[in-house]
Amino acid sequence: MSQLPWHDELSAALADRKAAGLYRSPRLRLGEQGVNITVDGRPALSFCSNDYLGLAAHPDIKAAFQQAVDKEGAGSGAAHLLTGHSFYHQALEEALAEFTGQPRALLFSTGYMANLGVIDALLSRGDAVIQDKLNHASLLDGGRLTEAEQLRYPHANMDLLHKRLHNAARARHRMVVSDGVFSMDGDIAPLPDIMAHARQHRAAVLIDDAHGFGVIGKNGRGSVSHFNIAPASAPIQVGTLGKAFGTGGAFVAADETVIETLIQQARSYVYTTAQPPAVAAATLTSLKLVEQEDWRREQLQALIRQFRLGAAQLGLDLMPSETPIQPVVIGDDKKALAVGQALEAQGILVGVIRPPTVPRNSARLRITLSASHSEKDVDKLLSALEQAGAH
Ligand SMILES: *Cc1c(COP(=O)(O)O)cnc(C)c1O
């Protein structure tokens, strides 16, 4: 194609990014997702997927997917409100409602779209949305889509949440929005406190539990269950299905009125093709494994303990996380990149997370553990971190 009129500007911005150590490119993975993968033609031990329970390539889930393709074909062919809503979508929505203990659940094609849709559909001009500053980009973007006033509070700071709620006292409606498990830090949001503040100010609460479902709570029921909050007083919950569930898509769980409102008004639900029915079929099988196989969560907890103990002995800068997201803070962007590359040279892959995904001077290795890792894998990771100079 011909060059854009502002081609030079873009290409200068790309060069600046490279010089700053912020340039990113996707790698090519061959074969199944898992712990031992082939990336860019080389074998690697991966600590950077969100497949926390090791379900992405589970044989039962693959079989469920294949059977559904035989019955229903590859694509859904239309949006849910036209003819895209299949038997498998309906069954999965019912199963997810039961799993969360909420009256209804609604499927979205991705978590990003669920967050855009739910915030935009429930708030409008004259309302206020109050978000933790470290919330996932899709929540912040969802807030920006609405004409509601945007307020943010420093990470997990309940005094400032209280202040923001107070500042928003004259808004028509208020909604507090938070990750359940923070995607880059791994810590769990102080949900009981958030709920108490919200109640006091007659605010709604929306919890995005992308990294909580499957991983924490009774039978993997997420952060609401982790804190023993009864479903009847639970916040609106968003869950993604591409992480611990190992498939793809997302859902919102809430009461009848919220879900019916989303069906009418959430633009990222209405104006998009339903996910392929086979993905929903695969998720139905995955949901059963998530609920039944507690050993996966037990294995994760054992690996988390092993990693944190070993990392502390190496003097690494850990964060207060009890989840499979175990960041090691490096600080400087280029040093983080160099440590990431040194690990890769030893055949170990971790996420190297730099601004703007995380705050300035907090570049980090985002290490994620999976139930498919072994104790030996974690030993290898620890010795590679030592050699790579991660402290
Ligand atoms: C990954 C993630 C999303 C987006 O979900 P996708 O299904 O990948 O689009 C939303 N929120 C949080 C906290 C996430 O980590």
Side-chain angles (χ1 to χ4, degrees):
M1 63 170 267
S2 61
Q3 286 189 350
L4 295 181
W6 57 98
H7 165 91
D8 292 350
E9 216 176 289
L10 295 182
S11 112
L14 289 173
D16 286 352
R17 243 177 201 279
K18 255 183 201 157
L22 296 176
Y23 202 86
R24 309 172 69 181
S25 314
R27 294 174 220 277
L28 181 64
R29 192 194 77 235
L30 291 179
E32 288 186 343
Q33 181 60 279
V35 159
N36 294 295
I37 56 176
T38 302
V39 169
D40 288 345
R42 282 190 304 272
L45 178 58
S46 165
F47 290 93
C48 52
S49 91
N50 298 315
D51 180 22
Y52 301 119
L53 300 180
L55 294 178
H58 192 287
D60 294 358
I61 298 175
K62 282 163 53 172
F65 184 91
Q66 278 155 1
Q67 277 170 18
V69 168
D70 285 343
K71 274 200 189 139
E72 301 217 353
S76 72
H80 283 279
L81 289 175
L82 296 172
T83 55
H85 188 68
S86 77
F87 167 81
Y88 293 113
H89 295 127
Q90 181 63 30
L92 180 57
E93 286 180 347
E94 288 170 16
L96 287 168
E98 175 135 358
F99 177 64
T100 55
Q102 299 265 17
R104 293 278 298 275
L106 187 71
L107 281 176
F108 283 76
S109 295
T110 71
Y112 191 99
M113 292 167 68
N115 284 335
L116 294 190
V118 67
I119 298 174
D120 187 43
L122 297 177
L123 299 174
S124 52
R125 188 190 295 272
D127 299 336
V129 52
I130 303 154
Q131 306 218 30
D132 188 295
K133 276 193 180 159
L134 293 191
N135 276 355
H136 190 263
S138 56
L139 293 170
L140 301 175
D141 292 357
R144 288 198 308 197
L145 259 188
T146 72
E147 291 181 64
E149 187 186 1
Q150 308 293 305
L151 298 166
R152 302 214 176 145
Y153 58 95
H155 181 46
N157 185 325
M158 292 297 103
D159 291 340
L160 281 161
L161 167 60
H162 179 83
K163 276 208 179 119
R164 299 289 181 268
L165 279 163
H166 193 73
N167 296 345
R170 272 202 299 256
R172 193 177 35 169
H173 308 302
R174 288 158 291 284
M175 181 187 276
V176 182
V177 175
S178 176
D179 281 21
V181 172
F182 284 85
S183 53
M184 295 299 140
D185 289 38
D187 58 329
I188 302 172
L191 208 44
D193 295 339
I194 291 175
M195 304 288 294
H197 284 296
R199 213 172 301 123
Q200 198 186 336
H201 290 88
R202 288 181 44 81
V205 178
L206 169 70
I207 295 297
D208 173 0
D209 223 5
H211 303 275
F213 279 119
V215 175
I216 59 174
K218 190 166 186 298
N219 304 119
R221 285 184 169 76
S223 51
V224 167
S225 161
H226 173 83
F227 287 112
N228 283 315
I229 296 168
S233 50
I236 298 173
Q237 288 160 275
V238 177
T240 60
L241 301 168
K243 289 167 181 159
F245 289 88
T247 56
F251 65 95
V252 176
D255 69 18
E256 181 81 18
T257 307
V258 167
I259 296 299
E260 286 299 322
T261 301
L262 296 181
I263 293 173
Q264 318 309 315
Q265 304 199 64
R267 296 168 66 85
S268 60
Y269 173 81
V270 176
Y271 296 107
T272 199
T273 303
Q275 67 174 190
V279 177
T283 309
L284 275 166
T285 296
S286 153
L287 178 59
K288 284 202 189 98
L289 296 171
V290 164
E291 284 190 85
Q292 288 167 3
E293 299 198 337
D294 275 329
W295 66 263
R296 294 179 188 272
R297 281 175 288 277
E298 285 156 18
Q299 166 74 356
L300 264 178
Q301 283 307 320
L303 296 169
I304 292 166
R305 276 193 301 275
Q306 184 198 349
F307 175 75
R308 289 187 66 85
L309 199 67
Q313 281 165 357
L314 294 176
L316 301 183
D317 189 357
L318 289 176
M319 297 186 81
S321 162
E322 44 185 308
T323 69
I325 303 169
Q326 290 292 328
V328 172
V329 179
I330 305 289
D332 179 70
D333 298 343
K334 281 188 183 161
K335 181 173 178 206
L337 198 61
V339 174
Q341 282 162 351
L343 289 172
E344 200 171 335
Q346 300 177 67
I348 304 260
L349 283 185
V350 303
V352 178
I353 313 289
R354 288 153 283 166
T357 309
V358 292
R360 291 202 163 276
N361 303 314
S362 74
R364 66 195 67 174
L365 311 177
R366 180 177 182 271
I367 290 165
T368 50
L369 298 167
S370 160
S372 299
H373 284 123
S374 65
E375 202 180 311
K376 256 201 193 127
D377 292 334
V378 172
D379 283 339
K380 272 190 210 160
L381 169 66
L382 287 165
S383 72
L385 282 164
E386 185 176 22
Q387 286 195 27
H391 47 275

